[in-house]
Amino acid sequence: MSRVFQNIKNLVQRLKIWIELNKKSIGGWLELEGHISYRFPVIESIIGILLIITVIAILTGSLGFWKLTLHQEEGNQLVASSDDIGYADSSPLLSIPLSFAFALVILIPLLVSYTTARGFETGTTKTFLSYPISRFQFLMLKTLSGICITGCISTLSIIFGSFVVGRFMTQLSILIALLIGIWVLIIFIVSITTFYAILLKNSIATSFLGIGTFFLGIISYIQLIWIKGYAYFPDSIRGILNPLLLVHEHLVGLYLGSPLLSPTFEDVMISITLCLIISTLVFVLTWKIFEHSEVK
Amino acid sequence: MISVSKLYKDFKMVRALDGLSLDVDRGIFGLIGPNGAGKTTLIRILVGLLRPDSGKGQVFGFNIKSDSVSIRRRIGILHEKPAFPGNMEVQDYLKKVAMIYNSNKTSEEILSIVSLSDAEHRKIGDLSAGMLQRLGIAQALIGQPDLVILDEPTSNLDVSGRDDIVSLIVELYNEFDVSFFISSHVLSELERACHQVAFIKAGRIVELGSVLDIIDAYTKEVFKIITSDSKSLFSAISNVKGISQPRITGANAITIRIEERSIEDIRSEIEKIAYSMGVQIYAIEKAATLENAYRGIMD
């Protein structure tokens, strides 16, 4: 046991030395990456939109105004509605911030993978890989920056959105659970879109395949659920495709006090773990392909 | 500095490198060859962008297959068609590159060396072709490399731009002891800049040596006739005994190779012919240029 601890200690020590030696180099690369992939005003515009939503919510007094309540209709459809404006939404709850965050979760990784693939076409990847950066570093930084940027913006969108929808989101535990779901989904999507970019090295093909996969995923998901019903697919399996939705359904179940209708905590944990494992495998596969691919 | 042996590289149906072997010492080295000869492929293999199908090689003692990051720490490179982020300012870009190399060189120092100080706050996308090449050399130098690899550094440049780049290369070697590996098909600039050159043809090195030795070896019997009417004179001297491979090399110039007879004999015969035709001969001189050596080697 002490040997294992010693090995871990050594590993941490080596990691520290590596970071110390490379932090300047990684910092330079990250700044370059920021200038190329996230140049003004892409990120600023998205954050600006979120701020505007928040300001409007505060100014119009709608902060906490739409007090969503949940009730169960016939079958297993969960419905959120507002007592104040008679608003009913067929999606369970929190549709405004989650839909916005979900759109960002799809769009930003697509944009990042488009930029990554475009780098092969324009020659910037060739230029950067001619500097002392290993391919692993290059891929890791591309992937991590994609995950972090998408994750941070989606997190902000959920937090800002919570000002609009009010009461439900003010519970910190629910907010954290949703954020975990969205970050896992982001890791999953970024790993797949990066895989496309590295495999195809073509921006148009990467975009089309990315969008195609997204729509195919949604259509298959909806078709299977509708045709076969929820019971056909174990929650932990369908949760891999969309951990956010599973977390969401779990929370709705908790909120309604009707756990039979919703995925259990174990289902959520299994699907999140499986999703992270698949994402890691996709990343490893991407790295292996990238390591042996030629940059012309 | 660079040593590669029996490198092979195929692209689908094309063999880019065909058992290429090469050793390069410190100094300014030129790799000469026609388009598609394998120059760029060799450079990309040296920096780890491409992998050879077989063969081995080292740069500064580091294996080109497994130690490419270590190699890139000690070299700077300017690609044939460089791609830099057009929306960044020159100074900003160089600062970031310096960080990647962990270099202490400041962008101001480097820009001053490449005479680009005036453009430090300009966007890269707004630079002229000549300035872009200078920026390319600047980003290759900012990591304080021992070797700078330049792939077609003067393509897209006008005459004075080319001249400036060649002068800069020689100056950098003399003042900072930076070695250069230059790939080009513009022979006049390589002749001016390089200590050593290698000729590459169909993926193989066909000649290697010092510039002066190669010129001497391949142009001993090559002469240039400067005349008022190269076209008429060319037809008249083509059948003169002892002249082979006559070529019109300019509006006022013919290049010939002499065989069997002495240059004095041939000179007097050519002058007689020209006189009879009313064509003026200004000079018959040795054509000791790398360009003529290139023809001798490649033909």
Side-chain angles (χ1 to χ4, degrees):
Chain A
M1 199 65 169
S2 63
R3 210 170 148 188
V4 174
F5 277 122
Q6 190 58 41
N7 284 340
I8 292 171
K9 209 173 161 186
N10 287 344
L11 195 70
V12 171
Q13 193 62 29
R14 281 170 62 185
L15 195 67
K16 272 185 185 170
I17 294 168
W18 185 85
I19 290 171
E20 192 55 41
L21 286 173
N22 291 282
K23 66 180 179 191
K24 200 174 165 191
S25 162
I26 291 170
W29 165 243
L30 273 177
E31 287 186 32
L32 259 184
E33 172 70 5
H35 271 90
I36 294 159
S37 301
Y38 310 102
R39 68 183 180 202
F40 182 83
V42 175
I43 304 298
E44 289 80 356
S45 304
I46 296 170
I47 292 174
I49 291 168
L50 295 173
L51 286 171
I52 289 167
I53 291 173
T54 310
V55 169
I56 290 173
I58 292 167
L59 289 180
T60 57
S62 62
L63 182 70
F65 180 71
W66 294 353
K67 291 187 173 61
L68 294 175
T69 56
L70 294 162
H71 61 271
Q72 189 182 346
E73 284 192 337
E74 280 180 31
N76 57 5
Q77 191 74 357
L78 295 170
V79 173
S81 65
S82 165
D83 295 338
D84 301 306
I85 56 172
Y87 170 78
D89 189 343
S90 61
S91 68
L93 77 164
L94 305 174
S95 59
I96 298 168
L98 285 189
S99 301
F100 193 49
F102 195 69
L104 293 174
V105 167
I106 300 301
L107 290 176
I108 299 177
L110 275 177
L111 180 75
V112 173
S113 60
Y114 173 87
T115 318
T116 305
R118 184 111 183 95
F120 288 100
E121 295 166 348
T122 58
T124 47
T125 303
K126 180 182 71 186
T127 302
F128 296 146
L129 288 177
S130 303
Y131 297 140
I133 298 168
S134 71
R135 293 192 181 200
F136 180 76
Q137 272 178 301
F138 179 89
L139 186 64
M140 197 70 179
L141 291 173
K142 279 265 178 201
T143 310
L144 284 181
S145 61
I147 290 170
C148 289
I149 296 283
T150 317
C152 290
I153 291 180
S154 304
T155 301
L156 284 176
S157 84
I158 287 187
I159 292 170
F160 290 161
S162 71
F163 289 124
V164 182
V165 294
R167 193 178 60 183
F168 187 83
M169 290 290 283
T170 55
Q171 293 180 30
L172 190 63
S173 56
I174 292 173
L175 188 65
I176 291 171
L178 284 172
L179 290 178
I180 290 171
I182 208 159
W183 275 80
V184 172
L185 179 64
I186 288 165
I187 291 170
F188 184 59
I189 291 177
V190 169
S191 67
I192 288 175
T193 51
T194 308
F195 171 71
Y196 288 159
I198 298 294
L199 182 72
L200 299 169
K201 298 189 184 78
N202 180 303
S203 53
I204 305 293
T206 300
S207 303
F208 273 106
L209 198 58
I211 293 168
T213 308
F214 169 63
F215 279 114
L216 197 70
I218 286 197
I219 291 166
S220 320
Y221 188 83
I222 291 170
Q223 286 272 332
L224 285 168
I225 299 296
W226 280 357
I227 295 168
K228 302 284 187 184
Y230 274 79
Y232 188 78
F233 259 97
D235 287 332
S236 52
I237 299 299
R238 78 187 161 85
I240 296 168
L241 280 178
N242 193 341
L244 176 63
L245 192 60
L246 207 71
V247 170
H248 182 200
E249 287 173 9
H250 174 67
L251 291 174
V252 170
L254 279 180
Y255 193 76
L256 281 172
S258 169
L260 284 177
L261 285 172
S262 59
T264 62
F265 180 74
E266 286 73 26
D267 288 333
V268 173
M269 290 310 291
I270 289 170
S271 67
I272 282 179
T273 309
L274 286 175
C275 193
L276 287 174
I277 289 172
I278 292 172
S279 305
T280 309
L281 290 176
V282 171
F283 178 80
V284 171
L285 179 65
T286 310
W287 174 44
K288 286 291 166 197
I289 290 172
F290 189 42
E291 200 179 38
H292 291 96
S293 69
E294 303 194 323
V295 181
K296 293 176 189 169
Chain B
M1 199 167 62
I2 296 174
S3 175
V4 294
S5 171
K6 294 180 182 168
L7 287 183
Y8 286 88
K9 180 71 193 170
D10 290 339
F11 292 114
K12 291 179 184 165
M13 302 299 285
V14 181
R15 173 152 289 185
L17 297 183
D18 188 14
L20 183 142
S21 298
L22 177 67
D23 288 293
V24 179
D25 296 327
R26 293 191 67 81
I28 306 177
F29 177 86
L31 184 64
I32 302 168
N35 292 331
K39 302 189 293 291
T40 300
T41 303
L42 174 62
I43 287 175
R44 290 182 185 176
I45 285 175
L46 291 178
V47 297
L49 291 172
L50 297 177
R51 296 170 78 88
D53 296 336
S54 64
K56 55 185 181 179
Q58 293 185 328
V59 179
F60 296 117
F62 295 110
N63 190 313
I64 55 169
K65 287 180 186 169
S66 55
D67 299 325
S68 63
V69 177
S70 304
I71 291 171
R72 293 199 294 267
R73 275 203 189 97
R74 293 189 59 184
I75 64 168
I77 182 166
L78 169 62
H79 289 287
E80 183 179 2
K81 290 172 187 161
F84 304 118
N87 62 319
M88 282 183 83
E89 282 187 10
V90 168
Q91 193 188 38
D92 268 356
Y93 180 65
L94 289 178
K95 277 182 185 167
K96 308 295 180 267
V97 178
M99 282 172 78
I100 292 173
Y101 277 98
N102 264 325
S103 168
N104 298 324
K105 279 268 177 208
T106 64
S107 55
E108 289 82 5
E109 278 176 80
I110 293 294
L111 287 172
S112 144
I113 290 170
V114 299
S115 308
L116 206 60
S117 299
D118 293 344
E120 63 180 341
H121 294 298
R122 283 177 67 175
K123 288 265 171 74
I124 293 174
D126 297 337
L127 298 182
S128 68
M131 290 169 125
L132 214 51
Q133 290 302 90
R134 282 173 183 281
L135 172 66
I137 293 178
Q139 59 86 40
L141 287 171
I142 203 153
Q144 296 172 284
D146 297 314
L147 168 69
V148 172
I149 296 177
L150 305 173
D151 192 3
E152 304 287 356
T154 57
S155 57
N156 304 324
L157 294 186
D158 58 22
V159 177
S160 65
R162 285 180 176 189
D163 194 53
D164 288 349
I165 295 288
V166 172
S167 303
L168 178 65
I169 290 167
V170 175
E171 196 181 308
L172 286 168
Y173 172 73
N174 290 333
E175 284 190 28
F176 301 99
D177 199 28
V178 180
S179 293
F180 283 87
F181 182 105
I182 309 167
S183 150
S184 178
H185 53 244
V186 183
L187 299 170
S188 55
E189 68 198 33
L190 289 180
E191 186 178 334
R192 270 184 58 205
C194 296
H195 302 115
Q196 269 210 320
V197 287
F199 291 79
I200 182 171
K201 184 179 180 183
R204 280 171 171 270
I205 298 294
V206 290
E207 187 59 88
L208 169 71
S210 86
V211 173
L212 297 176
D213 287 347
I214 285 180
I215 291 174
D216 189 52
Y218 285 91
T219 63
K220 262 182 190 153
E221 283 89 30
V222 181
F223 290 83
K224 188 162 76 175
I225 305 166
I226 311 294
T227 172
S228 58
D229 186 350
S230 59
K231 192 178 170 189
S232 308
L233 188 65
F234 173 77
S235 311
I237 66 168
S238 290
N239 295 323
V240 169
K241 193 186 166 202
I243 291 181
S244 72
Q245 302 171 15
R247 285 180 293 118
I248 298 176
T249 46
N252 300 309
I254 299 168
T255 302
I256 58 168
R257 182 176 284 276
I258 60 165
E259 288 170 349
E260 296 166 9
R261 296 171 67 190
S262 71
I263 183 63
E264 286 73 27
D265 281 357
I266 289 175
R267 182 195 301 269
S268 63
E269 190 168 344
I270 291 171
E271 281 171 349
K272 276 182 198 165
I273 294 169
Y275 182 76
S276 68
M277 294 168 68
V279 172
Q280 185 83 29
I281 297 281
Y282 296 98
I284 298 178
E285 59 195 27
K286 210 165 172 228
T289 63
L290 199 57
E291 193 178 328
N292 287 315
Y294 176 88
R295 288 192 173 274
I297 292 165
M298 296 297 191
D299 288 346

